[in-house]
Amino acid sequence: MTLVFCLFTGLEMIVSDFQCYQNNVQHHTEEISFQRLIVRRGQNFSIILYFKNRGFMLDMDKIIFITETADEVYLESEPQRQEYVMNDHGFIYQGNKNWIRPCPWNYGQFEENIINICLKLLDKSLNSQVDPAMDCALRGSSVYISRVVSAMINSNDDNGVLNGKWSEGFDDGTSPSEWNGSVAILKKWYATGGQPVKYGQCWVFAAVMCTVMRCLGIPTRVITNFDSGHDTDGNLIIDEYFDNTGRILENKKKDTVWNFHVWNECWMSRKDLPPGYGGWQLLDATPQETSNGVYCCGPASVRAIKEGEVELKYDTAFAFSMVNADCVSWLVYGGKEQKLHRYTNSVGNFISTKSIQSDDRDDITENYKYQEGSPMERERYMKALQKLQPRGYPEHPRASSQPAGPLSTRGGGPLGHNSPTPPQAVSLKLKLTQPAYLGLDINFVLQTFNLAPQFKALKVNLSAQSMLHDGSPLNVFWQDTAFITLMPSEAKTLPCIIPYSQYSEFLSPDKQIRISALGEEKNSSERFLIDKIITLELPSIVINVLGEAIVGQLLTMQVIFQNPLWEEVGDCVLTVEGSGLFKKQYKIIIGILKPQSKASVTIKTVPFKSGQRQIQANLKSDRFKDIKGYRNVNVSPGL
């Protein structure tokens, strides 16, 4: 915002009073500061001017007061403004589409010094370093600011906030799963003179971007897409390769399907696009691919993504592939590749965000695409594909307008090069028989059903391997082979067990396991591939608040946690934080926890802000990094 005073008739102004306290309260920025004027777009504010030589005379003096503000990000709904600008805590959804877990997060956009850190982040951007005058002139544009912030949250092109790391080993920093909030990350970046903080992954990038954008007054929310496509060559096809045991192989193209991926949506008008494409815009700070030579993504209109308008700015084609690419599976054997199946509905599921003023989850998949299998969805896919072909991407026509088949979490069945899916002869399905908890054996069954009128003899290769949440495969640690005979219309169930002792040493920090089954008929070339992603569950931390929470008065809480393993764990550290409740992260060294043991600690703090607050807690050890818990607390104003 720019303020200009034009004085006439010889008036001499000596001081201006910006009425910081009154204005900031009216503009809901009092939690940031009372020491300077911080106002929001599209709302009146008052100032007082004092003159040196004489008083102001209405009949002869004239003052012109000019303010220049942009109103590109105005939300009419007050509940939406409260959620997407004012709320300083929330949930980020993780896990997999069969087990969606809310992860509590402290955004803390109004915490001490965060506004200064956000402004410093803009000053350190590549744009500001190259042409500071132009950068300053463009800061009134929400499109421009969002692209700058998207680039600065990661450190790939500059000294941005976070170093990303998706492989194992975080000993020289903090494991992404350990973070509870953005405040500690931003303050660490600022305190070290802008050195990138180690480490982040997609949900951390998105959460920190949410903090910065809400602090700057731009309505922002965090979005999780389960089974998220990463299409590296822009043909709207994700190719996955398997060996004859069903093990997923390292992808030569680097295409992957992330078990979940997290990005942001920001609300803004888009005067640079045709009418109707304003509103929620996708922005992704995770450094996946470059945009105009820089690792950032968006803003891409969510409506443009749904409608297949992939030529519209910015990065809409890449965003479309994350939610609606096709997935083709290939069997690799003897130096050859055989196409197994083309899935038209496996990418982009249960797209989720926190509900407005509620702890519930909202499913917003319909904002991004029409219902899978519907003519409208197929039309938008073909429209997007045709728009991309002139760019030099290879033509890859849709295989079928029919669903891939009801075989399991992703189905399974044979498919020719461009032929429609034939009727399924055998149905295979993997199913857990009880919840999968870290530290316990994994019990599941392979269900088989002969849909054909002929006898079937099957050989089924089963395997299990650890996965990173970005879809990267790790070691296979369990294999088995089953020979199953099925009479016409006969069903059989094969019980399977993976002992904890067999998977414990192979787990990734994401605690995700992919179980697969590759079936083949005797005397036939037909093969059936199915898989199931399992995220091992952990017990939650329990937080009990003892007594009423009042600003300025001592508040006591009890934090209860458990070692879920049948073995001793060491290097245990409990981290607790919460905006308005703790001035900084509260860390307690626990040390050793005996097998299956419970423990508790008592923590005292003095709340310094009223209203709805949230306590976030995390327990890490040398065997796990992210046992989490939270507790909402309503803090009453002090006397």
Side-chain angles (χ1 to χ4, degrees), residues 89-320:
H89 60 269
F91 298 101
I92 302 169
Y93 295 96
Q94 300 179 355
N96 64 73
K97 69 179 179 184
N98 300 307
W99 184 74
I100 298 175
R101 179 185 75 151
C103 175
W105 196 270
N106 176 26
Y107 296 118
Q109 67 267 32
F110 303 128
E111 289 299 282
E112 183 180 6
N113 213 33
I114 293 297
I115 183 68
N116 295 323
I117 297 172
C118 294
L119 296 175
K120 176 61 69 174
L121 183 147
L122 298 180
D123 291 340
K124 290 182 77 70
S125 72
L126 290 177
N127 301 54
S128 182
Q129 299 299 312
V130 171
D131 191 341
M134 179 60 72
D135 172 72
C136 191
L138 291 173
R139 287 189 182 183
S141 165
S142 54
V143 171
Y144 175 80
I145 285 292
S146 65
R147 282 184 66 78
V148 168
V149 174
S150 175
M152 279 299 296
I153 297 301
N154 69 71
S155 63
N156 284 45
D157 307 293
D158 42 47
N159 284 327
V161 176
L162 278 160
N163 264 344
K165 188 175 184 181
W166 283 265
S167 58
E168 299 178 273
F170 304 101
D171 292 342
D172 59 338
T174 300
S175 171
S177 59
E178 291 180 37
W179 297 112
N180 282 335
S182 308
V183 176
I185 295 169
L186 287 167
K187 287 188 173 182
K188 186 172 183 178
W189 176 79
Y190 188 73
T192 58
Q195 293 300 308
V197 177
K198 300 177 180 178
Y199 288 100
Q201 290 181 8
C202 63
W203 68 93
V204 188
F205 289 113
V208 174
M209 183 162 182
C210 183
T211 296
V212 173
M213 299 301 275
R214 286 186 183 180
C215 183
L216 297 176
I218 299 176
T220 304
R221 59 188 186 181
V222 178
I223 309 297
T224 301
N225 178 36
F226 292 94
D227 299 328
S228 187
H230 182 181
D231 176 22
T232 57
D233 56 9
N235 66 348
L236 303 186
I237 295 290
I238 309 295
D239 291 296
E240 294 185 311
Y241 298 88
F242 302 84
D243 68 11
N244 60 4
T245 69
R247 176 174 66 103
I248 192 168
L249 304 174
E250 193 71 40
N251 194 318
K252 296 177 291 185
K253 286 174 41 183
K254 302 300 181 183
D255 282 1
T256 52
V257 177
W258 297 37
N259 293 323
F260 69 91
H261 181 51
V262 185
W263 59 70
N264 298 101
E265 285 179 3
C266 295
W267 181 273
M268 64 186 73
S269 62
R270 290 297 302 270
K271 297 177 182 177
D272 58 327
L273 299 182
Y277 290 100
W280 289 117
Q281 311 290 313
L282 179 151
L283 286 138
D284 192 349
T286 300
Q288 297 187 81
E289 304 292 333
T290 59
S291 174
N292 294 338
V294 177
Y295 278 97
C296 67
C297 181
S301 165
V302 172
R303 182 177 173 231
I305 296 168
K306 181 173 183 175
E307 298 298 334
E309 302 291 353
V310 293
E311 80 284 4
L312 297 181
K313 298 185 293 187
Y314 289 88
D315 310 304
T316 308
F318 184 74
F320 184 94

Side-chain angles (χ1 to χ4, degrees), residues 41 57 104 347 360 418 436 458 518:
R41 305 165 183 84
M57 302 175 66
V347 169
D360 295 334
N418 282 317
L458 300 179
L518 180 66

